[in-house]
Structures are given as structure tokens and as C-alpha cells.
Amino acid sequence: MFKRMASCCLLLALSFALMLDRSHSVSCKKNKDRVMAKEGSHAFLPCIFTYREKIDILLIWQIENKSPVVKANSTEKKIWDQFHGRVRLIPEWYQIGNGTLWISNSKISDSGNYTCAVRGDGLAEFCASVELLVKSAGTFQLPRPSCIWIPLLLLSWTGLFP
């Protein structure tokens, strides 16, 4: 009887551990950033994540806790009207764990707080909270140089945007 109870408890504990493990199939580099962009230029909002197994990932970018900007998985992508034709994700974003949102031809109305959530098999993980501030060309001043500008310069040289 004792062996049966012990094996039952062990089975229950393993099942619970597997359930917990699956609920965290995605982990994030939780970042809170502020991105500044000049009106009409490109804005890059970072969202980096990792996952342990080959699962279907759902990525959701949302502004101000309202309707989504983009919802995507490995096979389809839906972009909401305000951003249609101006939003991109890195090709194969789900394979490399980089859900960075690229907004081209940024508008002052794009300014706001954006969140990036990534869901695997379990609960969604909030991976990024990014404040985007778009200013008109006349009032825009670059912040002090920092290492974050280097990747942006490299991206612009690769011809990803016309």
C-alpha cells in the first residue's frame, strides 16, 4: 500500500512539474525602453525572447493597452489599420527569438507606450514595455551617443528599408 501511495505521489509531482515547465516555455529579456524617432523616420521597438522547444509562438504588440498593432505567429501576421503598410517584423522572427517591431514613416500619433507579449504553450510573457516618442523634424534632437545607436546604423546599411 505504501509503495502504491509513493508511486502515485511521485506521478502527481512529475505531472505538476511538467505542467509548470510547459507554462514557461517562453522566457524574455524583459526590457523597459524609451525610443525616440523623428517624424517620417523608422522606429525600432525591441522584443527579445527565447523558447526551449519547437512550439508555435504567438507575438502580440499592443499600444496603450488598447487594440493590437500586430499579431503574428509562424504562418500568419495581422496588422491593424493605423499601422498597415508601415509595420514589419524581422523575417523568421520566431526562429531567432527577435520580435522587434519596425515602424516606418513614423507619425507623431504613433507616440505612446507599447507592450510586447509572447505566448508559447502556456501563459503569455510580457517581454517588453517601450515608450515611443515621435517628434517633428524641427524639435527633434538626438540624445547623447550611446552603444544602442550602433545596431540601428548597421540595420540601415543593410538596405532593409528603401
Side-chain angles (χ1 to χ4, degrees), residues 27 113 152 162:
S27 61
N113 295 309
L152 297 180

Side-chain angles (χ1 to χ4, degrees), residues 80-98:
W80 271 251
D81 292 340
Q82 176 186 353
F83 296 93
H84 196 69
R86 299 188 305 118
V87 168
R88 298 180 188 176
L89 297 172
I90 296 171
E92 311 301 321
W93 62 268
Y94 51 91
Q95 291 179 348
I96 60 174
N98 187 344

Side-chain angles (χ1 to χ4, degrees), residues 101-128:
L101 183 68
W102 298 351
I103 302 174
S104 60
N105 191 24
S106 60
K107 301 176 181 180
I108 293 176
S109 62
D110 294 339
S111 295
N113 295 309
Y114 290 74
T115 55
C116 171
V118 180
R119 191 182 81 209
D121 282 345
L123 302 171
E125 291 281 336
F126 287 93
C127 297

